[in-house]
Amino acid sequence: SYAADEENFRISLNHQAFIQFLRAFISHPPLWIREGFAVYFEKVTFDPESGAAEYNENLAWLDTLKALAADGGARLLPLKDVLSMTVEGARQNIEVFYPQAWGVVSFLMNSPDREHTRILWDAVAALRADAPLDDNVRLVYERSFKWYDEGFLAEEFLGYLETRRSFRAVLGEGINAYADGKLDAAEEAFTAAADMEKGNFMPPYYLGLINYARKNYSVAEHHYKTALEKGAQPSLIYYALGVNFYADNRRDEAVSYLKIAGEIDPAYRQKTEDLINRILK
């Protein structure tokens, strides 16, 4: 069975599965295509209801790549080096090549400029099933990248990276906006973060806090319970639900959830007891 609950295993399995899939058709693909696409598809999941794979964008390398691209991309490898990289060369440039290989694929796949997308499709179409690695590297370059100015492509690549935000960056924007009382901006950021990392509990938890502040208690309840399903600390959520029910004048439910929070986590015991005593007066 597919170990969907083991995130690291699933990502590793997806990575290796893509490589095996690609090599079933192309024995010796260029390394940037093999590894770039393998990372690109790492977060694919299987939906048992539809019986289909569901693509989830993988931005795990984005912050690393943006840091490498700072100061005009001086720390990045020249494009020709990326396109012709060997396994040994990648090993020697491991901290740069792998994020950059993913970045090149992401750029060519997602750029709004159709000419960039065409480069990728021409590159893939140039591959030959049984050609040695050197031949496939040469074919990809001659039939796609050769016709574009490398300096211009590098500038376009850096511009693309500037437009992309990682989950951590978007989440941080939401947390800062929430702390400043800018609830609309915070909601926008957390909603975007929730789309980026569907299994992360932080966005729904903060969306619960936002709706509690707006006195939308039923909506807050939904978000808190969603956060719990996604792995949030139970005592945190039970306490938040207790406070939410109390504000919504659902006192029995408030006391029930507060008791659970205090029982499972000693750190919540005193404040849950204090709030329960206030409710029962």
Side-chain angles (χ1 to χ4, degrees):
S1 62
Y2 191 72
D5 293 336
E6 296 292 336
E7 178 74 3
N8 291 334
F9 175 78
R10 180 171 61 80
I11 286 174
S12 178
L13 182 63
N14 284 347
H15 189 107
Q16 296 303 321
F18 175 80
I19 291 175
Q20 294 304 313
F21 171 81
L22 176 61
R23 296 190 73 169
F25 297 93
I26 309 294
S27 299
H28 303 288
L31 195 62
W32 71 272
I33 290 180
R34 190 188 85 183
E35 294 299 327
F37 272 107
V39 174
Y40 189 83
F41 289 116
E42 276 182 350
K43 290 200 172 182
V44 167
T45 56
F46 179 74
D47 182 357
E49 293 186 5
S50 64
E54 183 177 282
Y55 173 73
N56 298 291
E57 188 171 20
N58 181 24
L59 299 177
W61 283 111
L62 181 58
D63 285 333
T64 299
L65 186 56
K66 286 170 76 75
L68 290 169
D71 301 322
R75 296 171 61 193
L76 295 175
L77 297 168
L79 180 60
K80 275 192 175 181
D81 290 355
V82 175
L83 299 180
S84 60
M85 187 62 68
T86 63
V87 172
E88 180 59 31
R91 191 177 295 118
Q92 294 174 0
N93 295 275
I94 191 169
E95 295 183 355
V96 181
F97 172 73
Y98 288 95
Q100 195 169 344
W102 163 79
V104 170
V105 169
S106 178
F107 164 57
L108 297 177
M109 285 286 287
N110 297 315
S111 172
D113 189 333
R114 292 185 178 181
E115 284 298 310
H116 298 154
T117 308
R118 180 180 175 181
I119 292 173
L120 184 59
W121 298 141
D122 286 347
V124 172
L127 297 173
R128 293 295 175 263
D130 297 320
L133 176 62
D134 289 348
D135 284 359
N136 271 331
V137 167
R138 177 180 53 79
L139 287 168
V140 165
Y141 178 74
E142 290 182 350
R143 299 190 184 183
S144 56
F145 289 92
K146 180 180 179 180
W147 307 106
Y148 296 86
D149 180 79
E150 184 174 343
F152 178 73
L153 275 180
E155 290 180 7
E156 294 285 286
F157 178 60
L158 293 177
Y160 168 76
L161 291 180
E162 288 180 2
T163 68
R164 299 308 311 269
R165 297 181 299 162
S166 67
F167 170 76
R168 185 169 61 181
V170 175
L171 188 70
E173 291 172 8
I175 292 172
N176 291 336
Y178 176 76
D180 292 339
K182 301 175 181 178
L183 299 186
D184 289 345
E187 182 179 43
E188 182 178 349
F190 289 127
T191 300
D195 287 338
M196 296 169 73
E197 291 282 351
K198 294 179 174 60
N200 194 288
F201 70 85
M202 292 289 283
Y205 171 67
Y206 273 98
L207 288 170
L209 292 177
I210 290 169
N211 281 281
Y212 170 78
R214 291 172 171 166
K215 301 183 179 180
N216 297 329
Y217 301 121
S218 60
V219 178
E221 177 187 354
H222 166 74
H223 286 302
Y224 286 144
K225 289 182 176 179
T226 299
L228 185 63
E229 292 172 358
K230 295 180 184 295
Q233 182 183 358
S235 55
L236 172 69
I237 300 302
Y238 287 130
Y239 182 78
L241 284 167
V243 172
N244 188 68
F245 287 135
Y246 177 41
D248 198 24
N249 201 32
R250 296 160 63 181
R251 299 188 174 218
D252 290 344
E253 291 167 284
V255 169
S256 176
Y257 277 90
L258 290 170
K259 282 183 177 179
I260 295 173
E263 288 171 358
I264 64 177
D265 190 341
Y268 282 85
R269 192 161 297 156
Q270 187 60 56
K271 59 183 178 182
T272 56
E273 289 177 357
D274 292 343
L275 186 51
I276 289 170
N277 288 334
R278 191 188 314 169
I279 293 172
L280 295 178
K281 281 184 179 179

